[in-house]
Amino acid sequence: IAVGDVVDWCNIQWPKNYKANTGESRDIYSQVYLSGVTNGAGQGSDILVELMYSNYSNIFPFNPETSTSVSAVFNLDKENNDEYKGTLSIKNVGTYYYWFRVKYKNGPWIYCDINGTDDGFSGNNTGIAEIK
């Protein structure tokens, strides 16, 4: 159980999956909530968000740390959440899985999957990109 400076909630907001050609850019969105930080106007301070992706082929069992990271930027306020956007532009054909990770100040990384619940990060709940 993580304690201290920990994000309360995050998810993959949109899209849950997509199809694209190699090198085609797609924006992927995440929402993040931390009480007292994201529920104010504008971007909450001291939050770092990264979009992660992998083809899993070199990872068994799945480890969310063994992947490629892309910086995500603040997009907009969404009620009490802050929305972030990362852009994927995958250059090789295949099936890729994506998720976000977020941390507040020096706290631990929290992994964000589709369902955004407290059941823990699951590789079964990642976004899926089919690149052809």
Side-chain angles (χ1 to χ4, degrees), residues 12-20 26 28 96 98 114 126-130:
I12 299 171
Q13 186 65 25
W14 185 84
K16 310 294 189 218
N17 56 65
Y18 72 91
K19 294 180 181 184
R26 287 294 171 98
I28 313 294
Y96 292 82
Y98 58 88
I114 289 171
T126 61
I128 300 172
E130 296 287 340

Side-chain angles (χ1 to χ4, degrees), residues 30-80:
S30 174
Q31 288 190 14
V32 176
Y33 173 73
L34 177 57
S35 180
V37 177
T38 62
N39 46 341
Q43 180 180 8
S45 63
D46 299 316
I47 293 179
L48 179 62
V49 180
E50 293 180 342
L51 174 58
M52 313 290 287
Y53 72 96
S54 173
N55 66 2
Y56 282 16
S57 65
N58 298 323
I59 312 167
F60 191 80
F62 173 68
N63 176 350
E65 286 290 330
T66 310
S67 57
T68 302
S69 66
V70 176
S71 294
V73 297
F74 177 75
N75 187 47
L76 52 89
D77 270 331
K78 230 21 183 175
E79 298 174 6
N80 288 328

Side-chain angles (χ1 to χ4, degrees), residues 72-127:
V73 297
F74 177 75
N75 187 47
L76 52 89
D77 270 331
K78 230 21 183 175
E79 298 174 6
N80 288 328
N81 301 336
D82 284 354
E83 185 172 90
Y84 287 82
K85 175 178 72 170
T87 303
L88 289 181
S89 179
I90 300 171
K91 307 226 182 303
N92 296 310
V93 171
T95 300
Y96 292 82
Y97 304 87
Y98 58 88
W99 59 96
F100 286 86
R101 68 179 183 177
V102 59
K103 73 176 178 173
Y104 177 64
K105 294 186 177 180
N106 292 319
W109 286 110
I110 301 298
Y111 297 93
C112 317
D113 59 14
I114 289 171
N115 69 11
T117 66
D118 288 335
D119 67 355
F121 177 83
S122 168
N124 295 328
N125 285 316
T126 61

